[in-house]
Amino acid sequence: MPHPPSHHLAVGPRVAIRPFRLEDGYEFTARARQSKDLHRPWLFPPDTDKTYADYAGRLIEDPARAGFLVCEKDGGDIAGFININNIVRGGFQCGALGYGAFAHAAGRGLMREGMELVIAYAFGPLALHRLEINAQPGNTASIALARGAGFRLEGLSPRMIYVDGAWRDHERWALTVEMRSGH
């Protein structure tokens, strides 16, 4: 179902970003179920009405999170999502990105374009200074998106995040306002 442009926070050539809404649950969960083979074992987005309502509710209500749906401009289909989690203000001004493409959009460059829009929004209206991405070393698609968006590899953290029943190693990637502006 097409979404009115007034909901968009930023618009690129092929995609736009907008906040999560509770009424997006049907499309989001259907796309998550269709994308299980793409996401596993790296990602487990909500795929039921209840899990989506809880997930979206946290992104909508919690000031330490900002959730963005990456939507195709033609038709408004949800191509994926990019969330800024663990936003810390004060002297840190940092947030951690989590993201996923849906199977119908994977490999089409839509998430790359959406990532650019989210980064600009994070460093602009959200006034963040630093964004971080933590990706499992074998998740080549996630690492390629981080690298392609200009994030730099800062290191490896063994057994950093609990995913799919075990503590998993993660590569730490970061991007700062200065890296974007060339300062």
Side-chain angles (χ1 to χ4, degrees), residues 24-155:
D24 293 313
Y26 178 80
E27 181 182 358
F28 189 100
T29 58
R31 297 217 182 270
R33 288 188 301 274
Q34 295 162 356
S35 303
K36 282 189 180 193
D37 290 343
L38 175 68
H39 293 154
R40 301 296 190 262
W42 320 113
L43 185 64
F44 299 82
D47 61 2
T48 67
D49 292 342
K50 168 79 170 99
T51 57
Y52 177 82
D54 291 345
Y55 179 81
R58 286 189 303 271
L59 289 167
I60 293 165
E61 299 295 328
D62 186 348
R65 299 173 194 244
F68 304 93
L69 294 174
V70 177
C71 301
E72 295 184 64
K73 278 179 46 178
D74 293 338
D77 291 346
I78 300 172
F81 56 96
I82 302 172
N83 302 326
I84 306 174
N85 300 300
N86 307 321
I87 296 172
V88 179
R89 295 296 183 175
F92 203 39
Q93 297 297 335
C94 182
L97 295 181
Y99 47 85
F102 289 125
H104 76 283
R108 295 174 43 204
L110 302 175
M111 290 300 291
R112 177 74 176 88
E113 187 177 320
M115 179 69 80
E116 286 298 322
L117 296 174
V118 170
I119 290 168
Y121 193 83
F123 290 156
L126 292 181
L128 294 177
H129 174 260
R130 177 183 169 93
L131 294 171
E132 299 176 354
I133 293 172
N134 296 302
Q136 292 180 56
N139 189 344
T140 56
S142 184
I143 290 169
L145 186 57
R147 183 179 287 119
F151 285 73
R152 74 172 168 241
L153 179 62
E154 292 191 330

